[in-house]
Amino acid sequence: MIEVCDITKKFGDFVSLDHVSLTIPDGTIYGLLGENGAGKSTLLRLIAGVYRADEGEIRIDGEKIPRVAAKQKVFYMPDSQYYEKNATPLTIGNFYRTFYPEFAMEEYRYLLEQFGLDEGALVDTFSKGMKKQMLIGAAICANTGYLLCDEVFDGLDPQIRNAVNELLKQTATGRNMTILIVSHYLEELEKICSKKGFLHRGRILNKEEWDGLALKGRGEHEKD
């Protein structure tokens, strides 16, 4: 279980997250919806142990971040990832295998084939969508208990999105994996997530507050 307890994160005078609390039960695919700049990526980086909170704490299986993040419990999948010029999907798989002892290399190579990705090609020549598919394969094959996905649907065409949705659902069910997906695609989150939360300007909103905000936004748009 992931527990985010009254977290605040600032960058200078800017408050990215303002006393955020949420709980993500084990085996859940949890979707966190929010517009660009809402603080979604910051929250993922805090859970992954990349950032440290200014206030509050985060626990995974009752253990505080960042100590737990050093273990092989969490795979963090950022929206964009840096790769060396000579990196190939195969060398990236071998890289992750050094960090995740349970990394399923043969399954990873199978997923690359299913996605139509050449395991020996230079990743530098891949489109954003192709890189995303490769990273999704690595994330699943790392066999961690927790998967953090930042804008997992960006760069994917509708057919691939559907395939990724099914793959994530099968993984969550078959391995009891807990998946947190942050996105601004409500339609995609509706398809895959058993629970959802709403983040706006660094604060968690309930469903009624979010709907009211969306209604207000539509009204202002119509006036324009």
Side-chain angles (χ1 to χ4, degrees), residues 84-103:
E84 294 183 354
K85 288 283 186 181
N86 62 345
T88 67
L90 192 56
T91 62
I92 286 170
N94 285 323
F95 170 79
Y96 282 124
R97 189 162 59 171
T98 64
F99 288 96
Y100 299 98
E102 300 298 319
F103 191 89

Side-chain angles (χ1 to χ4, degrees), residues 169-184:
K169 284 191 286 188
Q170 291 172 13
T171 301
T173 302
R175 306 181 190 181
N176 196 36
M177 180 183 283
T178 303
I179 302 176
L180 171 58
I181 302 173
V182 303
S183 179
H184 59 274

Side-chain angles (χ1 to χ4, degrees), residues 116-128:
L117 302 176
D118 181 354
E119 66 179 36
L122 292 176
V123 175
D124 198 44
T125 65
F126 285 3
S127 67
K128 181 176 181 179

Side-chain angles (χ1 to χ4, degrees), residues 18-167:
D18 188 5
H19 297 283
V20 168
S21 295
L22 60 88
T23 299
I24 304 172
D26 287 342
T28 302
I29 301 182
Y30 189 101
L32 187 61
L33 183 69
E35 73 278 14
N36 291 333
K40 305 186 303 296
S41 296
T42 299
L43 181 58
L44 282 194
R45 290 174 184 139
L46 285 165
I47 296 172
V50 178
Y51 291 161
R52 293 201 178 197
D54 297 303
E55 299 177 30
E57 66 180 27
I58 297 173
R59 296 189 292 266
I60 295 181
D61 295 339
E63 200 167 5
K64 292 181 183 179
I65 293 293
R67 195 164 77 87
V68 69
K71 300 180 180 180
Q72 290 79 30
K73 285 189 175 184
V74 178
F75 191 103
Y76 168 50
M77 183 178 157
D79 182 30
S80 59
Q81 179 73 287
Y82 167 78
Y83 299 105
E84 294 183 354
K85 288 283 186 181
N86 62 345
T88 67
L90 192 56
T91 62
I92 286 170
N94 285 323
F95 170 79
Y96 282 124
R97 189 162 59 171
T98 64
F99 288 96
Y100 299 98
E102 300 298 319
F103 191 89
M105 193 65 183
E106 289 307 310
E107 181 183 0
Y108 172 65
R109 297 177 75 176
Y110 171 77
L111 289 177
L112 290 175
E113 183 179 352
Q114 293 300 110
F115 284 135
L117 302 176
D118 181 354
E119 66 179 36
L122 292 176
V123 175
D124 198 44
T125 65
F126 285 3
S127 67
K128 181 176 181 179
M130 294 166 70
K131 291 176 182 177
K132 188 80 71 172
Q133 292 173 67
M134 178 189 67
L135 191 53
I136 289 167
I140 288 171
C141 293
N143 282 309
T144 59
Y146 298 90
L147 174 57
L148 312 177
C149 301
D150 194 350
E151 298 292 357
V152 68
F153 307 114
D154 270 6
L156 303 180
D157 63 41
Q159 184 177 359
I160 294 297
R161 285 185 189 180
N162 290 335
V164 167
N165 279 343
E166 288 304 312
L167 187 57

